[in-house]
Amino acid sequence: MRIDVVTIFPDYLAALDLSLVGKARRAGLLDLRVHDLRDWTDDRHRTVDDTPFGGGAGMVMRPDVWGRALDDLLPADGPARLVVPSPSGEVFTQRRAEALATEEHLVVACGRYEGIDARVVEHYRDRGVAVDELSLGDYVLNGGEVAALVMVEAVGRLLPGVVGNPHSLVEESHGEAGLLEYPVYTKPPVWQGREVPDVLLSGHHARIERWRRDEALRRTARRRPDMIAALGEDALDRRDREVLAEATGDADASVGEASHDADA
Ligand code: JD8
């Protein structure tokens, strides 16, 4: 996969030289290129912004500069998807990360100031480019760079060969199981007078696996009941339902809201 990130703060993306994503880049598993938007300015002050039409506070990023940059990076008829972090975008999720990880080429446009002139997204959509405006969540950042860091890491770690043991991708929070991850422990077996759960020291893999699923169910029921409700009818076996009933104190823990109502 190729990912181009365009920003007026290229150093913000330096963290992507580190850790798994950095290793993946050096191993050729991910072709990540960071570009300075000012390289596409046409004045000696390398201006990327101007005052907002209609007045108001702050500055807006110019469409002409973004246009030159994206024309260079978005192949005329190629398979590139334009990703624009925005507080008014659809919320970025693991499902979206999995979808983006199937793409050949992503171009990420990091805005600053009050945002990018709205005609830029319109222009490329009208040109048939797939454009995703994505938000990290309901809080306001000063620009798109932090979101780009999050999205590139979330997508990059899903690429073949990046994460050492692909199985770990299945068990983690928001993974295929649709549950939060179970609690984890390592040496020393006793810390601050706190012991590691005996089952984890038993070597009994079936019991360990069952305990971990029970803990994932309990944790999800307590912290993210919305995720339990979103689970499919066939996602839970009898034991799962017993655990959920005990965790929620509700005999028939409601799974797959729709079906519950269907019974009514
Ligand atoms: C892109 C400019 C700053 C936003 C005036 C503060 C994502 N979850 C998220 N929160 N905020 C962003 C985000 C913020 C951005 C830009 C993304 C470009 N800003 C603006 C509007 C109000 N300033 C984000 N993803």
Side-chain angles (χ1 to χ4, degrees):
M1 170 187 277
R2 172 173 168 178
I3 303 179
D4 292 281
V5 179
V6 185
T7 165
I8 61 170
F9 296 125
D11 296 347
Y12 231 110
L13 284 295
L16 296 172
D17 298 339
L18 309 172
S19 182
L20 272 178
V21 172
K23 205 153 149 258
R25 295 172 74 181
R26 291 184 288 280
L29 299 172
L30 171 62
D31 174 8
L32 176 65
R33 308 178 193 190
V34 179
H35 309 272
D36 185 340
L37 178 67
R38 295 188 193 280
D39 293 348
W40 285 275
T41 56
D42 59 2
D43 67 313
R44 65 193 187 85
H45 299 298
R46 294 167 68 81
T47 307
V48 296
D49 63 320
D50 209 325
T51 54
F53 279 121
M59 300 292 274
V60 174
M61 301 194 94
R62 288 171 42 168
D64 54 337
V65 180
W66 273 107
R68 284 192 290 273
L70 297 174
D71 282 354
D72 275 1
L73 296 169
L74 287 165
D77 57 355
R81 179 175 284 274
L82 176 58
V83 173
V84 183
S86 164
S88 55
E90 289 173 43
V91 174
F92 180 70
T93 63
Q94 187 65 16
R95 293 293 87 66
R96 178 68 68 136
E98 289 158 359
L100 291 175
T102 66
E103 298 282 343
E104 279 179 47
H105 184 192
L106 301 177
V107 176
V108 183
C110 300
R112 276 273 151 176
Y113 309 102
E114 300 312 302
I116 301 172
D117 184 295
R119 291 169 289 180
V120 173
V121 164
E122 290 163 14
H123 170 70
Y124 289 102
R125 279 211 173 108
D126 295 348
R127 242 185 55 178
V129 173
V131 182
D132 293 349
E133 292 180 275
L134 298 173
S135 168
L136 286 190
D138 300 344
Y139 42 85
V140 180
L141 302 169
N142 290 333
E145 286 78 11
V146 169
L149 278 170
V150 168
M151 294 171 190
V152 170
E153 175 158 321
V155 170
R157 64 191 298 280
L158 298 176
L159 299 176
V162 174
V163 168
N165 165 359
H167 182 63
S168 66
L169 293 178
V170 176
E171 289 196 328
E172 61 196 15
S173 280
H174 313 295
E176 263 168 54
L179 296 175
L180 299 180
E181 87 271 355
Y182 47 78
V184 292
Y185 304 82
T186 187
K187 300 183 199 66
V190 182
W191 177 75
Q192 296 284 355
R194 298 170 184 278
E195 299 182 352
V196 170
D198 290 342
V199 63
L200 299 180
L201 309 175
S202 69
H204 198 298
H205 297 301
R207 285 208 198 106
I208 290 169
E209 192 173 343
R210 184 70 251 180
W211 179 89
R212 283 174 168 172
R213 182 160 175 85
D214 294 355
E215 285 299 306
L217 287 161
R218 291 189 187 104
R219 182 178 264 191
T220 309
R222 266 198 314 275
R223 299 179 184 183
R224 294 289 308 276
D226 58 299
M227 292 173 70
I228 299 290
L231 289 172
E233 262 306 306
D234 51 8
L236 297 171
D237 63 17
R238 167 193 295 281
R239 166 69 184 162
D240 295 337
R241 293 175 188 289
E242 286 166 4
V243 168
L244 285 174
E246 175 254 328
T248 59
D250 154 358
D252 60 348
S254 57
V255 174
E257 272 314 310
S259 56
H260 186 67
D261 303 337
D263 307 344

